[in-house]
Amino acid sequence: MSENTLDKIIKKKIEKIDLLKKTISLNLLIDKIDKNKSFIDFKEKIKNNISDNKISIITEIKKASPSAGILIEEYNPIEIAEIYEKNKATCLSILTEEDFFLGNLTHISIVKEKINLPILCKDFFIDKFQVPLAKSYGADAILIILAGVSDDLAFELYEEALKFNMSIIVEVHTVEEAKKALNFKEALIGINNRNLKTLKIDINTTYDIHNILINHLGPLISESGIKTREELLEISDKTKIKTFLIGESLLKNLDNNSIFSVLK
């Protein structure tokens, strides 16, 4: 059986983190974290919007993806972040995976120097060492993809993020994963409309799963595949979800995208 995309990404990530752990000490990361004064409460910002009955959009910054290839040839994370900030984005998601998405952790720190928005480190977390590593570059939140880790590792990552006062998005794609996600009481739960194993998108994933998560105390997020303002508002109307993570449809039309109008 051939490897699916998620397996390939994780296999490569394990190799990279094993090498990194040999060259960077935890003490060095903690020292960098202690000196960094840029941290913002990612979860709190979204919760405040929900309290005010406002839509939140986590806008994504990435150069490429396995499904779409190169999205932006002249890739400048700061310029993209400035456009998002101007259009009242709630938070940023910065893709830092290097081999398949052409990202880098340094993109978080250079954006943080210019932009005062909470940042999610969008990557494939497979080792708790990555949690302080991400925070040392200025990340305010991490992503735990339940399809990519064991139950035990998911909780290790979750506990480590709480220890470092970071927000957590636990990402699910199936009913079974959604049920597991309810155990992560402090997390935001993201429903990914993209199947990371096949890369196919189905917006119905949000509709199929949200009922299981309806009593979760943290915010719910609909992720991936949302292309229009009307689609976003329809999902919000039918599910009461107020938070959306949107990348490719914004990146392909940064300067004049009607989706931003829900934030005005």
Side-chain angles (χ1 to χ4, degrees):
M1 183 170 39
S2 63
E3 284 183 297
N4 63 51
T5 303
L6 183 60
D7 288 341
K8 287 178 186 173
I9 294 170
I10 287 173
K11 189 174 178 182
K12 191 76 175 174
K13 180 60 68 175
I14 290 168
E15 293 171 5
K16 289 221 164 199
I17 296 303
D18 284 347
L19 282 172
L20 211 53
K21 286 165 74 174
K22 292 172 183 172
T23 59
I24 301 174
S25 72
L26 182 60
N27 285 341
L28 178 65
L29 297 181
I30 290 170
D31 188 49
K32 279 182 71 180
I33 290 166
D34 288 344
K35 290 174 180 173
N36 193 328
K37 306 302 178 190
S38 72
F39 300 113
I40 308 167
D41 195 323
F42 187 100
K43 178 182 171 184
E44 194 65 24
K45 185 160 189 194
I46 289 169
K47 283 180 71 178
N48 288 342
N49 272 2
I50 291 170
S51 296
D52 294 338
N53 201 32
K54 290 180 181 175
I55 296 283
S56 295
I57 296 184
I58 305 164
T59 51
E60 192 146 273
I61 298 173
K62 63 182 174 185
K63 179 170 184 174
S65 74
S67 59
I70 301 285
L71 291 161
I72 299 175
E73 288 288 351
E74 300 296 321
Y75 181 66
N76 186 322
I78 295 171
E79 283 182 5
I80 297 167
E82 286 173 342
I83 291 168
Y84 286 156
E85 185 179 46
K86 181 184 74 178
N87 284 286
K88 303 187 182 346
T90 313
C91 304
L92 302 176
S93 164
I94 299 184
L95 223 308
T96 58
E97 195 282 328
E98 293 173 320
D99 295 292
F100 295 82
F101 293 84
L102 307 182
N104 198 292
L105 280 165
T106 58
H107 297 165
I108 293 177
S109 49
I110 63 172
V111 168
K112 260 291 177 76
E113 286 175 8
K114 302 282 187 183
I115 304 295
N116 189 37
L117 287 175
I119 296 179
L120 166 69
C121 177
K122 184 92 176 280
D123 210 320
F124 297 80
F125 282 77
I126 47 81
D127 189 305
K128 66 180 187 179
F129 177 79
Q130 288 171 273
V131 176
L133 179 66
K135 181 152 186 170
S136 75
Y137 281 88
D140 303 294
I142 68 154
L143 181 72
I144 301 173
I145 302 169
L146 291 191
V149 294
S150 67
D151 294 352
D152 287 346
L153 178 53
F155 269 102
E156 266 187 45
L157 294 167
Y158 173 74
E159 294 290 342
E160 192 76 354
L162 291 179
K163 186 172 95 176
F164 279 95
N165 295 314
M166 298 182 81
S167 298
I168 303 132
I169 297 178
V170 171
E171 185 175 281
V172 303
H173 180 73
T174 65
V175 167
E176 183 182 302
E177 288 169 7
K179 289 175 180 174
K180 287 181 183 179
L182 291 170
N183 294 313
F184 299 87
K185 306 290 186 191
E186 298 298 320
L188 304 90
I189 299 179
I191 304 170
N192 196 344
N193 298 308
R194 187 190 300 281
N195 183 326
L196 290 177
K197 296 180 178 179
T198 66
L199 302 182
K200 290 180 179 172
I201 285 178
D202 185 357
I203 292 292
N204 287 318
T205 306
T206 291
Y207 294 125
D208 294 341
I209 290 176
H210 87 279
N211 279 330
I212 293 163
L213 302 169
I214 214 137
N215 293 320
H216 180 65
L217 291 176
L220 303 182
I221 308 165
S222 181
E223 306 174 356
S224 301
I226 298 157
K227 293 183 172 63
T228 65
R229 174 183 186 275
E230 290 70 31
E231 199 168 38
L232 182 153
L233 292 173
E234 183 179 354
I235 293 170
S236 185
D237 184 53
K238 288 182 178 176
T239 66
K240 308 306 176 196
I241 289 173
K242 295 261 175 220
T243 310
F244 299 85
L245 192 152
I246 305 176
E248 290 177 18
S249 58
L250 291 177
L251 288 165
K252 288 173 180 175
N253 184 19
L254 274 170
D255 296 319
N256 184 27
N257 200 301
S258 68
I259 290 175
F260 289 127
S261 65
V262 302
L263 301 171
K264 304 299 183 192

